[in-house]
Amino acid sequence: MMSIKIFPIPAFDDNYIWILHNDEYAVVVDPGSSAPVDQYLAAHNLTLTHILITHHHWDHVNGLESLQADWGCQVFAPKDDRIPGDLAYVQEHDSIQLPELDINFKVIETPGHTLSHICYFNDAWLFCGDTLFSIGCGRMFEGQPAQYLNSLEKIRKLPPNLQVYCTHEYTLSNLEFALHIEPENQGLQKLKKTVTAKRKMNQPSLPVLLQQELCLNPFLRTNDPELKNALNQYLNKTITSPIDCFADLRQAKDQF
Ligand SMILES: [Zn+2]
């Protein structure tokens, strides 16, 4: 895996289409648009061999049919009729092989943002679509709080040294919300400085280490008494369970 390079191809306002390549073959994750991927492949003289899809939203799948028509590449996706293309369906515990890059991924099902959302991970990387963002998580469009929390629990159990590749540049706005709930959190304060500097230079804030998210992301800290106390103060109520903590946090973020 040492020879694999991973870059974000910016798309739309704040999407990243992640491309993994070895200077010859390439794989993309969630191509919501084909044009920027075509440009990148041409500029770097790469052959597209596979596409990974995390969920059905248009900004993650709209480029896939054009890319598949041009390259005849295999597309891995969750079983969901809303995803176009000729798909190889994958589900929890499946392993997928990408022989041209000599890498493989395992699949976890993470319903919450959408019901059929999946993530891909191996020993080094997690491609989590819109399930997890740095210091945030996706909007709960289709799932229920207990279900989404269970999905985040699966991510919490992955090795903390994974690099997390989220598909939106939302980190700064997520930090604004997190610091609104926990203004005294020094880890969040420090991260905001780092991310602000990166964004001023137009650098992505991603990927991030899963360990950082375990320490700072409020949506991964629904067991953390400090977060629970801060949220209780913010909402002027007494939250008892992690599920309520997650549900209230998600709702507060939606209204922020
Ligand atoms: Zn989405």
Side-chain angles (χ1 to χ4, degrees):
M1 279 190 286
M2 292 300 283
S3 58
I4 303 291
K5 299 163 184 172
I6 309 180
F7 292 100
I9 302 175
F12 314 116
D13 287 343
D14 49 34
N15 283 67
Y16 292 133
I17 301 167
W18 293 102
I19 186 163
L20 298 76
H21 74 83
N22 59 3
D23 293 315
E24 185 174 6
Y25 299 109
V27 171
V28 290
V29 183
D30 285 355
S33 172
S34 58
V37 176
D38 286 333
Q39 265 178 26
Y40 191 98
L41 294 169
H44 296 82
N45 199 20
L46 297 167
T47 298
L48 185 67
T49 63
H50 296 83
I51 296 173
L52 310 186
I53 299 292
T54 64
H55 69 295
H56 76 279
H57 284 157
W58 68 271
D59 59 321
H60 297 252
V61 305
N62 272 14
L64 95 75
E65 283 179 301
S66 166
L67 291 169
Q68 192 172 38
D70 287 352
W71 296 95
C73 52
Q74 189 173 25
V75 182
F76 295 105
K79 187 160 176 33
D80 189 321
D81 291 344
R82 299 171 293 187
I83 303 173
D86 179 12
L87 308 175
Y89 292 130
V90 289
Q91 59 186 352
E92 182 108 349
H93 304 310
D94 279 354
S95 274
I96 61 172
Q97 267 75 44
L98 310 174
E100 293 85 352
L101 295 185
D102 194 22
I103 58 179
N104 52 49
F105 285 104
K106 283 184 186 152
V107 175
I108 44 172
E109 292 174 356
T110 57
H113 175 66
T114 68
L115 287 178
S116 62
H117 197 301
I118 60 173
C119 300
Y120 301 87
F121 75 98
N122 59 20
D123 292 341
W125 318 307
L126 168 65
F127 290 90
C128 58
D130 287 353
T131 291
L132 184 70
F133 297 121
S134 180
I135 316 300
C137 75
R139 276 184 187 261
M140 197 165 54
F141 284 119
E142 297 177 6
Q144 297 299 319
Q147 194 176 34
Y148 206 148
L149 185 61
N150 186 55
S151 297
L152 293 176
E153 287 293 323
K154 289 183 191 175
I155 290 177
R156 274 162 48 103
K157 286 179 191 149
L158 297 176
N161 64 333
L162 295 189
Q163 292 285 347
V164 183
Y165 294 82
C166 320
T167 44
H168 287 275
E169 182 59 68
Y170 287 162
T171 313
L172 264 188
S173 63
N174 287 338
L175 277 162
E176 294 291 336
F177 171 71
L179 278 164
H180 198 63
I181 304 285
E182 292 185 288
E184 309 299 325
N185 187 314
Q186 292 182 358
L188 289 173
Q189 291 168 0
K190 196 173 156 208
L191 183 63
K192 190 181 170 186
K193 280 185 193 149
T194 311
V195 174
T196 302
K198 275 188 187 168
R199 296 303 297 144
K200 268 190 185 145
M201 291 188 290
N202 208 22
Q203 291 172 3
S205 65
L206 304 166
V208 289
L209 205 55
L210 182 56
Q211 178 66 48
Q212 169 190 290
E213 297 303 308
L214 296 174
C215 292
L216 295 179
N217 189 328
F219 292 93
L220 295 178
R221 292 168 48 224
T222 48
N223 290 314
D224 181 342
E226 284 192 33
L227 186 267
K228 207 186 290 183
N229 288 340
L231 191 59
N232 277 338
Q233 277 198 351
Y234 179 75
L235 298 172
N236 193 24
K237 65 193 281 191
T238 306
I239 296 162
T240 49
S241 74
I243 293 174
D244 289 344
C245 186
F246 174 80
D248 285 339
L249 200 56
R250 188 57 260 175
Q251 193 179 24
K253 174 70 167 70
D254 290 344
Q255 293 164 356
F256 181 63

